[in-house]
Amino acid sequence: MADSTPLLSPDWDPAAAEALLRDVFGIVVDEVVWKGTSASEKVCEWKEPEELRQLLDLELRSQGESKEQILARCRAVIRYSVKTCHPHFFNQLFSGLDPHALAGRIVTESLNTSQYTYEIAPVFVLMEEEVLTKLRALVGWSSGDGVFCPGGSISNMYAVNLARYQRYPDCKQRGVRALPPLALFTTKECHYSFKKGAAFLGLGTDSVRVVEADERGKMIPEDLERQISLAEAEGAVPFLVVATSGTTVLGAFDPLEAIADLCQRRGLWLHVDAAWGGSVLLSQTHRHLLDGIQRADSVAWNPHKLLVAGLQCSALLLRDTTNLLKRCHGSQASYLFQQDKFYDVALDTGDKVVQCGRRVDCLKLWLMWKAQGGQGLERRVNQAFALARYLVEEMKKREGFELVMEPEFVNVCFWFVPPSLRGKQESLDYSERLAKVAPVLKERMVKEGSMMISYQPHGTRGNFFRLIVANPALTQADMDFLLNELERLGQDL
C-alpha cells in the first residue's frame, strides 16, 4: 500500500506561485520579447561547454532553492541561449517571434492537456479539426484527414508508413515478413528523415532510391521513370514517390504536375514534403511554385517555419477519407478509447497517431491566424520573398559576394570571397581555399554574437552560406547590416 503518512505542508502555495510566475513572465518579456528581438543586442553570448556548465550550475541537488535563486536561473538560461527571434538570426528555417503565437504557446503549456480525447481536450479537438481543414483547403482539398505531428520528420515518417499500409495492410499485424522488397523514390535534395524513416520502419535505407535532380535541385521526372523501371527489374516493388516543395539547402520546388502524372500512371502514392515551402500556398503571387500539390496523397507542412507559429507546429495532411490514419495506427486502447462514451467517439483522435500523449500544437497557429487573418499571413510570406530579392540585388552591387544560384525562394545561397581570393578564380587551389572561408566567418560572427548564418558543402560545391529570410521583423536595414558585417568580419582573410 502507498504510505498514508500526511505531508507536513502542501507543495502548493497559490500566492507564492502567482508571484513567481509574474516575475518569470516579466523576465521573459524583458529579456526575450524585448531584448531578444532588438537588433542592438547580441544574437548569442558564446561560451565554451565547460565554462557554460560552470556558469549554469547544472547539478541537481537534494535541497531546493529560493525564489531569488530560481529567478537568477531563468535569467542565466535566457542570457546564454541563442536568440532565435533576433533579426540577425538567419541560421535555420525558423526564426522570429509572433506575439499571438507566443500567447497561444503560453496558454497551451498552462493548460497542460493531451490531444487524444474529446473528454480532456474538447476545445483543442475541435480547433485542430478546423485548422487542418483550413490547411487542406489551401492545398486544394475539400475533404480529407490529418494530424499535427511532433516535427516534420515524423510527418514524413507517417507518410511512408501510410503509403506502405495502404498497399500492404497485412504488414500492420505480420510485419516485414508480409512484404516484398519495397522501393521509395526521392532526390538527394530530400530531407534526411526519409532515410531515417526507412530504417526506423524496417524498410532499410537501401529501399530509398535516389532520383537525379537538375542543377537547381529539382527532381528530373524522366529519371524518376527510369529509377522506377530499374527497381522493378531488380525485383523491388515501387510504392511511394516523395517530392519536395522547398528543399532545405537550395529552396528548390520539384515539378509536381509531371511527378503526379507519373504516380497516377504507375499507381504510386505521392507524398509532398512541403514542411518548408508549404506556407507559400498563402501567397497568390508565389503559390504557383506548388502547382500540382492538390494531386498528392499526403502533404507535410510546418507553419512553425515561414509563418512563425513557433516550435513546434507540423501538420500531416491527407487526401484520404477512409480513416486510413486510424486503421494504420490504431490499437483501440480500452482505457482511453471506450466505445460506449456519452459523446461521439469519432472525436477521439488519439488512435490516429503512434503516440499516446500528444501536445496541443494547433492553438498557437489558430490564435495567430485569428489575429493576422489570411491576408496578414500572405503579406508575411510576400515580404520574405521581397526582402530575399532585395538582398540578392544588393549582393550583386558589392565585390566579394558570389551567388551559388539565383534563388526562387527565400534561401539565399552564396560565397563570400575575401580580398585575398578575389580575381584568383583560375588558381588551382581556389575552391579549396574558398571552402575554408565560411567556417572561419561563422566562428567569428558567433563568438562576437553579431549574427548567425548557416553554411554547408553541397555536392561538388565547397562550403557556402545558406541564409534564410523568414523573420517577419526583418527590414532592408537588416539586409544591409549582414552584408556590411560579413565584409567587416572577412576583411583580413
Side-chain angles (χ1 to χ4, degrees):
M1 293 181 63
D3 187 352
S4 60
T5 303
L7 296 172
L8 296 178
S9 61
D11 192 26
W12 175 254
D13 179 342
E18 178 184 350
L20 172 68
L21 290 174
R22 288 186 182 278
D23 286 342
V24 170
F25 287 151
I27 292 170
V28 169
V29 170
D30 290 343
E31 302 297 326
V32 179
V33 178
W34 181 245
K35 290 183 181 178
T37 61
S38 172
S40 63
E41 300 285 337
K42 288 186 175 183
V43 176
C44 59
E45 188 171 333
W46 175 260
K47 300 293 179 184
E48 295 296 333
E50 284 307 314
E51 182 184 3
L52 186 57
R53 286 190 184 95
Q54 295 300 317
L55 288 167
L56 294 175
D57 185 20
L58 295 171
E59 181 185 351
L60 298 173
R61 303 180 179 88
S62 59
Q63 295 297 315
E65 297 182 337
S66 68
K67 172 188 170 184
E68 289 69 27
Q69 288 173 301
I70 296 302
L71 294 177
R73 302 279 185 214
C74 292
R75 289 191 181 92
V77 167
I78 294 170
R79 176 178 178 179
Y80 298 115
S81 291
V82 175
K83 310 306 186 293
T84 64
C85 50
H86 194 285
H88 301 156
F89 177 82
F90 307 102
N91 208 69
Q92 311 300 142
L93 301 183
F94 65 89
S95 63
L97 186 149
D98 183 283
H100 302 98
L102 179 59
R105 290 150 74 188
I106 292 170
V107 173
T108 294
E109 293 301 319
S110 301
L111 289 172
N112 190 40
T113 193
S114 179
Q115 181 106 39
Y116 44 41
T117 62
Y118 183 79
E119 65 183 277
I120 69 161
V123 171
F124 301 127
V125 165
L126 299 180
M127 184 181 292
E128 181 178 64
E129 179 183 3
E130 182 62 30
V131 173
L132 290 170
T133 297
K134 184 67 174 181
L135 296 180
R136 285 196 303 268
L138 286 165
V139 169
W141 301 332
S142 59
S143 60
D145 203 352
V147 68
F148 278 95
C149 299
S153 290
I154 301 301
S155 297
N156 289 333
M157 290 183 194
Y158 274 18
V160 175
N161 200 37
L162 291 164
R164 179 176 66 173
Y165 175 83
Q166 190 261 352
R167 196 174 187 100
Y168 295 103
D170 284 353
C171 71
K172 180 178 179 180
Q173 181 174 346
R174 298 182 59 219
V176 293
R177 69 182 185 274
L179 300 171
L182 297 179
L184 67 93
F185 304 86
T186 189
T187 72
K188 63 182 179 181
E189 304 292 330
C190 78
H191 194 259
Y192 63 80
S193 57
F194 291 101
K195 280 203 169 183
K196 284 194 172 188
F200 184 75
L201 294 169
L203 296 170
T205 57
D206 285 350
S207 68
V208 181
R209 304 295 183 107
V210 178
V211 180
E212 288 296 318
D214 65 19
E215 68 281 355
R216 295 193 60 84
K218 299 171 181 287
M219 182 184 288
I220 300 173
E222 294 78 11
D223 193 61
L224 173 61
E225 181 95 65
R226 190 178 72 85
Q227 293 296 334
I228 292 171
S229 297
L230 182 60
E232 290 174 332
E234 294 174 355
V237 178
F239 77 107
L240 169 66
V241 173
V242 175
T244 307
S245 289
T247 59
T248 305
V249 177
L250 300 179
F253 289 77
D254 286 339
L256 300 182
E257 289 284 12
I259 296 169
D261 286 343
L262 198 156
C263 289
Q264 183 176 343
R265 189 167 70 251
R266 292 274 194 162
L268 302 177
W269 183 288
L270 173 57
H271 174 65
V272 177
D273 177 9
W276 176 216
S279 297
V280 178
L281 290 169
L282 283 124
S283 169
Q284 293 302 313
T285 303
H286 301 288
R287 63 171 289 136
H288 64 88
L289 292 169
L290 295 98
D291 281 352
I293 194 171
Q294 75 282 357
R295 300 176 64 187
D297 295 285
S298 55
V299 172
W301 179 355
N302 288 5
H304 70 240
K305 292 180 176 173
L306 192 54
L307 291 187
V308 199
L311 288 163
Q312 59 197 18
C313 191
S314 304
L316 173 67
L317 308 173
L318 299 179
R319 188 151 49 101
D320 172 78
T321 57
T322 68
N323 217 10
L324 184 67
L325 266 171
K326 192 170 184 178
R327 288 189 287 120
C328 180
H329 298 137
S331 62
Q332 298 86 47
S334 60
Y335 68 91
L336 272 179
F337 308 116
Q338 303 91 337
Q339 296 304 294
D340 54 358
K341 289 182 177 181
F342 59 91
Y343 59 85
D344 182 2
V345 295
L347 293 166
D348 290 349
T349 58
D351 235 7
K352 291 182 177 184
V353 297
V354 297
Q355 302 163 255
C356 179
R358 183 163 67 94
R359 63 172 289 127
V360 174
D361 285 328
C362 58
L363 175 57
K364 53 200 163 196
L365 178 57
W366 180 85
L367 202 61
M368 180 178 71
W369 208 307
K370 282 287 191 181
Q372 296 284 342
Q375 293 179 346
L377 296 179
E378 180 179 13
R379 285 193 296 271
R380 181 170 292 182
V381 173
N382 289 340
Q383 174 71 358
F385 273 89
L387 277 176
R389 175 45 49 190
Y390 171 83
L391 176 63
V392 167
E393 295 307 316
E394 289 301 306
M395 282 182 175
K396 293 176 181 178
K397 298 175 184 177
R398 301 193 186 206
E399 189 179 11
F401 291 90
E402 182 181 340
L403 287 170
V404 174
M405 63 180 62
E406 284 283 341
E408 66 175 346
F409 194 19
V410 296
N411 305 42
V412 180
C413 298
F414 66 96
W415 289 280
F416 177 75
V417 183
S420 66
L421 288 178
R422 292 171 193 170
K424 297 184 179 180
Q425 287 84 346
E426 303 304 319
S427 300
L428 293 177
D429 62 348
Y430 176 80
S431 296
E432 181 183 350
R433 292 172 64 190
L434 183 61
K436 295 177 181 179
V437 173
V440 172
L441 292 179
K442 179 64 175 281
E443 180 180 1
R444 290 181 178 184
M445 67 177 72
V446 169
K447 288 186 174 179
E448 290 199 18
S450 61
M451 60 183 182
M452 289 183 72
I453 309 173
S454 179
Y455 73 87
Q456 64 287 301
H458 185 270
T460 60
R461 301 180 179 104
N463 287 324
F464 58 84
F465 285 113
R466 181 211 63 180
L467 186 143
I468 300 299
V469 182
N471 188 334
L474 287 173
T475 65
Q476 291 182 358
D478 295 308
M479 302 294 98
D480 296 336
F481 169 84
L482 77 89
L483 296 176
N484 293 335
E485 183 67 0
L486 283 171
E487 289 177 337
R488 184 185 72 82
L489 293 170
Q491 63 187 344
D492 64 334
L493 295 180

